[in-house]
Amino acid sequence: MAKVIEIGITKNSKELMQKVNSVEAVAGKGLINDRHFMENNNKKSQITLIEIENINYYNQISLTSIPPISFRRNIITEGIRLNELINKEFLIGEIKVKGHDLCRPCKPLQKSLGQENIIREFLRKGGLRCEILSGGKIYIGDQIKC
């Protein structure tokens, strides 16, 4: 069963992500209190997801223990292959979203984590950028259904 295991938001791109138990998703805008929340938001910037399995694998091969929230994605998932959801609609709890693009890692993330190979290792495993199609709350433990 695919599910949400962690949620993170931050009001500023320079601040650390904050773990929350739930978040309000607004169609076409993003997540309330997140740095990307805005009117007429780009469909690729409204919510980001990443698989815990990819984070765990990286921590294993790099002998690190980087917390999932430090990868700066809004939703940490378990039990689902996000790359397969590009151009597909799916549910996170009761919220309908559409996957649009891979969420590739960037140099600032690599620098903030102090890891030289984040970009290479997460190029096709860094998560998914999605559009929020229907609003409501997302909770830790919510099922993800395709």
Side-chain angles (χ1 to χ4, degrees), residues 62-124:
S62 64
L63 304 176
T64 58
S65 57
I66 300 169
I69 200 76
S70 296
F71 285 84
R72 303 191 65 79
R73 304 299 185 254
N74 300 121
I75 306 291
I76 312 297
T77 68
E78 181 179 64
I80 192 162
R81 294 191 177 263
L82 297 173
N83 288 14
E84 296 173 5
L85 300 179
I86 293 175
N87 295 319
K88 294 184 180 168
E89 293 182 8
F90 59 99
L91 294 172
I92 303 173
E94 301 298 318
I95 308 306
K96 186 185 280 188
V97 300
K98 183 174 182 180
H100 283 288
D101 195 15
L102 296 180
C103 194
R104 293 166 186 86
C106 58
K107 286 189 180 190
L109 175 65
Q110 184 167 276
K111 184 178 178 183
S112 74
L113 295 176
Q115 299 291 305
E116 294 180 12
N117 56 353
I118 288 285
I119 291 174
R120 184 186 67 221
E121 289 294 331
F122 280 91
L123 189 61
R124 299 203 45 83

Side-chain angles (χ1 to χ4, degrees), residues 1-9 19-25 31 47 49 74-78 91-95 135-144:
M1 170 181 68
K3 64 183 178 180
V4 174
I5 62 167
E6 203 166 287
I7 302 170
I9 56 175
K19 285 188 197 182
V20 294
N21 292 322
S22 66
V23 67
E24 184 79 24
L31 302 176
I47 186 171
L49 293 77
N74 300 121
I75 306 291
I76 312 297
T77 68
E78 181 179 64
L91 294 172
I92 303 173
E94 301 298 318
I95 308 306
K137 282 222 176 203
I138 299 172
Y139 298 91
I140 290 176
D142 275 353
Q143 289 187 18
I144 302 171

